[in-house]
Amino acid sequence: MLKNRSLRFKLSAFILTGTILVAAVLVSYYYSVSRRLILESARKNARHLTMETVNSIENVFRSAAKIPENLAYVLETGMSDEKGLYRLMETVVKNNSEVFGSSIAFEPGAFFPGQDRFSPYFFKDGDRIVQSNLDDPGYNYHLQDWYQIPKELNLPVWSEPYFDEGGGNIIMATYSVPFRWLNDGMNKNKFRGILTIDISLVWLKQVFEGLSIYDNGYGFLLSQSGKYLVHPDPDNIMNASIFDIAELHQDEKIRELGRKMVRGQTGFVNIIEPVTGREVYLCFAPFPSSGYSMGIVIPAKELFADLSHLNRSVAMIGVLGLLALFGVISLISGRITKPIRRLSEATSQIGQGDFNAVLPVIDSHDEIGQLMRSFQKMQTALAEYIENLKVATAAKEKIEGELRIAHDIQMGIIPKTFPPFPDRNDVDIYGILESAKAVGGDLYDFFLLDEDHLGAAIGDVSGKGIPASLFMAVTRTLLRAKSMNMKDISPGKIVTSMDTDLCTENDAGMFVTFFFIILNLKTGELEYCNAGHNPPFILDETGEITALDTVHGFPLGVMEAEPYQTGKVKIRPGARIVLYTDGVTEAENEARELFEEERLLVTLKKMKDIKDPKEITLSIKSAVKGFTLEAEQSDDLTMLVITYLGRNFNQE
Amino acid sequence: MSLKTKQNLFIPIVWVCSCILLTIKSVAADKPLTLVLHWVPQAQFAGYYVALEKEIYLKYGLDIKIKAGGPNVSVNDCVTSGSAEFGTYFLLNATKLVAQGVPLVNIAQLSRRSALILVAKKSSGIFKPEDMNGRKIGIYQEEFSDIPLAFIKNNNLNVNIIPIATGIHIFLHGGTDVTNVMWYNEYHTILNCGYNADELSTFYMSDYGFNVPEDGIYCLRSTYDAYPEVCERFVEATMEGWLYAFQHSSEALDIVIKEMKAVHIPANLAHQQWMLARMQDIILPDGGYEFSTFLSEETYEMTGRILLKNASIGKLPAYDQFYIPVGKYAEK
């Protein structure tokens, strides 16, 4: 995606992305740490406030609880006078502002023998203290929770809060303390009755309303069974329990919270308030004496309001900063990449062949300056190189021209006029030399030594190119010189003499395979000498093929050794002598197979009745070309065919 | 031809019947009838309140007044004194009253199964009836006590019976180990005091051979004899009220809660919701909406046996003296 964008764009994109990433990491780290700190501090504050509230309320409950506990002690240690009992109860109600009423309820017969129920009750009615009793058989106090529970548990118990219909319909709770016979011998330590005080719980609401918990936080109070005693929603008070709310909203988390609270656990949790659906933090703690439990609810939104505000500011600063950064990066990257852009334009000019394109001037010593200088050097070097290339190309063209001339000269020293002896009818000759390279190392030659003797030779110089062609020229010159100036000539003598000369000063270590014949045109006697060359074939007048396969020594120029011998055969008129170089037998096709002697012999067999040396030569050539097809010619292709007609032959 | 003759006959018959029907209707409508319920307004009686509020009684040509029960109201006093024509009773109590000579008849057995449960906290180590040996069992007085006592006897339990007037707090505080509760009422209160169902051992009396159904509609035999057709319409209208209540539960709950607030009773929606759902389980135990108000002789006999065994009655009144199948839902 970025591939086709400018350097300026990429630079800006990468730097900005990097900056945004770093900023995001920083901000989120800072945010999470701040959040944790705020939460931790809120937890501490909420815990502190909760415990403070619990303690202040506990104090009231504890001090109220002391009253019946002390009274029970008085009863147990011997209060048996009815009037005294009433006086004591009236005093208790009168002197304790938090106490709304107090009762003493006896087991059957435990005060007046034979009386089932005896339960005097004193309570406040405005400023008056009113005496009453709870003996109504329909009410049957022995079966009431305030009596039955402490009796069965044998423990003082705070009751579930209740609406007191008689006492002005206010929420009350009753503290019931069991007391026993202490001194009565028969009933010693036996349960005797219950002593109660009723206290109003109206003040609890005020305590909770006085709590300052952010803007919309609040506190609530649950009874032992999870019922709401204090809650912002009046419909819940003394009606619904936290478990009812959980059930209505099918909220297991709230139910679990309720279970923890009524079991007297303490905690700080993060929940979704079922009614409002807002996220809140809740700190809860129990009241050890009554088994009630309170909670403080802090709306998360308000808790983190400052942080959110700060976050918004940070985000705004961040956005502005990034915009500014974008501007600066854009400017700087534009300035940095400007010379590169100019360089790029210049290089594209150079690329189109304008080596003199003007490069931008840069004084800086940074990478771009270095690049520019390197580029200048490259431009100069390139120009020089192109110049050199021109010179070299010219030189090469000159050499190639000279090679062509050399080839022409080489071809010039080889007899190429056919038929060579148009006046004679006893012999006909045809030869070809096709070089693999412009200048080859093969040679053939023929000449008349006298009226009756024809000298002919074929050779193949080691190597190719100019050296080979020069060596070939020397060989040919030597052949002519030796043949013309030697008395009592024979091929062996001439070849030996040539070898001697060629070996002298042959520092280049070149050599030439050489085959030389002298044919007596009168008699058909054929003398020959083979210095390491392919044996020629004689195709006689009947079509029989014989190889002149005697080899008389190494190729010429290798070393001075024994003199080369001369071989002799006699041929009859109509015989054809086929001389060739290894360019024929070792011609390669594309499969790298060689033409081989066999194919040459097959070709020769077809020439049984053909006397024309040109036709024979060209037939062999076309057989070779038919074999090699498209393969590159690997060696010089040289042949010399001599048809011996003889004098008698023509006369016949 | 013959068809025409029949038509001519048919019209006066329809006219006469309509007149009779209208007369009865107007008589019944002129004189308001009172139904007294055996407890304060709650979803246990949703069908009656819905039938009244949705004018189903009116549709059946009945002008019904509902008198709420409560601790200070005796259903039997209201019915026998004639201040109420109809009353709801538990089957057990009605059987006892009839055995004592009160001329009541059951004209619809609404409840189809017992809702009575004994509950214990698993933490107290009670998992089966034998585990209750030597423990304190809280038992509600009077009408609720017969079956738990029979259960104790049947299982040969040696327990400490604590009579309870009201509430489950003594059980929650640990003052009793086992308590008897109604499935649709106090059992839910225990759950919503923070006890999970899997923390409680429950002994459904219906599983222990005491499947005595509870709520039914009763009137004096004389009332039925005088107005059998009114009784029939009353029962059928009531069942239509229940059908509506079950099919429109939140509307039914609104109606019930309105009634509760009218008499200043704490109206706890979650609790009433539970109660209505359980009433549906009790009135329609097989699911669907196929009501039956039929009281089988077997159920009646079984109820009688429990009462006889507890010596709560001396002699079981005859089945047809106690129960009259009334209306279309009373077919077997």
Side-chain angles (χ1 to χ4, degrees), chain A residues 143-336:
Chain A
L143 297 186
Q144 300 300 319
D145 276 350
W146 60 264
Y147 188 92
Q148 222 170 8
I149 296 174
K151 177 189 167 187
E152 293 300 331
L153 297 177
N154 193 21
L155 283 172
V157 169
W158 277 101
S159 73
E160 271 285 306
Y162 56 91
F163 268 120
D164 183 82
E165 287 169 21
N169 219 9
I170 53 170
I171 302 177
M172 301 236 269
T174 298
Y175 187 62
S176 308
V177 181
F179 61 91
R180 51 204 64 254
W181 297 95
L182 208 62
N183 299 320
D184 191 282
M186 206 175 72
N187 294 316
K188 194 171 164 75
N189 271 340
K190 203 178 156 193
F191 174 74
R192 194 181 174 197
I194 295 286
L195 225 156
T196 72
I197 53 148
D198 305 332
I199 67 165
S200 157
L201 298 183
V202 173
W203 55 277
L204 282 175
K205 189 167 179 253
Q206 283 141 22
V207 171
F208 277 82
E209 277 170 359
L211 297 177
S212 163
I213 306 162
Y214 293 86
D215 290 339
N216 294 301
Y218 62 91
F220 65 93
L221 183 64
L222 297 182
S223 74
Q224 298 105 316
S225 65
K227 199 175 269 182
Y228 287 109
L229 300 185
V230 178
H231 193 267
D233 181 355
D235 274 354
N236 286 337
I237 293 169
M238 293 302 289
N239 180 16
S241 77
I242 189 167
F243 304 106
D244 294 326
I245 301 292
E247 184 178 331
L248 287 176
H249 293 90
Q250 291 178 343
D251 193 332
E252 269 307 308
K253 234 178 149 182
I254 297 296
R255 182 172 170 87
E256 220 18 71
L257 170 69
R259 280 163 58 81
K260 282 181 183 164
M261 289 182 76
V262 298
R263 273 163 182 65
Q265 294 181 22
T266 303
F268 185 77
V269 292
N270 178 216
I271 54 163
I272 303 297
E273 212 177 29
V275 182
T276 58
R278 58 184 186 167
E279 187 195 357
V280 297
Y281 285 89
L282 190 143
C283 180
F284 59 93
F287 295 81
S289 63
S290 59
Y292 300 172
S293 180
M294 69 166 285
I296 277 178
V297 175
I298 304 163
K301 206 173 158 188
E302 288 173 29
L303 184 60
F304 299 118
D306 288 344
L307 188 59
S308 300
H309 186 73
L310 189 62
N311 250 12
R312 273 197 296 278
S313 309
V314 167
M316 221 155 73
I317 293 168
V319 168
L320 290 176
L322 284 172
L323 281 176
L325 190 63
F326 177 74
V328 171
I329 292 169
S330 195
L331 205 72
I332 291 177
S333 57
R335 278 177 69 168
I336 291 174

Side-chain angles (χ1 to χ4, degrees), chain A residues 13 22 65 167 257 298 379 389 447 468 501:
Chain A
V22 170
L257 170 69
I298 304 163
Q379 190 190 22
L389 201 62
F447 46 87
D501 283 8

Side-chain angles (χ1 to χ4, degrees), chain A residues 615-642:
Chain A
E615 194 181 339
I616 294 169
T617 306
L618 295 180
S619 293
I620 296 170
K621 180 186 165 187
S622 73
V624 171
K625 295 290 177 194
F627 174 73
T628 60
L629 294 174
E630 298 298 312
E632 195 192 352
Q633 189 186 338
S634 55
D635 204 352
D636 295 354
L637 183 70
T638 308
M639 278 181 281
L640 186 64
V641 176
I642 303 162

Side-chain angles (χ1 to χ4, degrees), chain B residues 123-178:
Chain B
S123 61
S124 67
I126 296 172
F127 298 96
K128 47 189 190 300
E130 306 89 274
D131 298 334
M132 296 181 194
N133 268 316
R135 299 303 192 93
K136 293 181 189 172
I137 300 193
I139 292 184
Y140 290 119
Q141 290 302 280
E142 315 217 342
E143 55 213 64
F144 297 96
S145 63
D146 278 298
I147 288 174
L149 291 174
F151 171 84
I152 290 164
K153 213 177 273 180
N154 240 25
N155 287 286
N156 296 315
L157 299 176
N158 179 19
V159 294
N160 182 4
I161 293 170
I162 309 286
I164 304 287
T166 170
I168 40 97
H169 290 296
I170 186 166
F171 169 71
L172 295 179
H173 273 93
T176 57
D177 300 307
V178 184

Side-chain angles (χ1 to χ4, degrees), chain A residues 2 7 32 41 89 105 118 142-143 189 213 233 260 316 329 331 357 414 416 449 530 556 575 604 623 627 630:
Chain A
L2 278 174
L7 209 55
S32 75
S41 135
M89 290 174 74
F118 177 59
H142 289 131
L143 297 186
N189 271 340
I213 306 162
D233 181 355
K260 282 181 183 164
M316 221 155 73
I329 292 169
L331 205 72
I414 286 169
K416 273 203 307 290
L449 295 166
N530 187 349
L556 304 181
L604 284 179
F627 174 73
E630 298 298 312

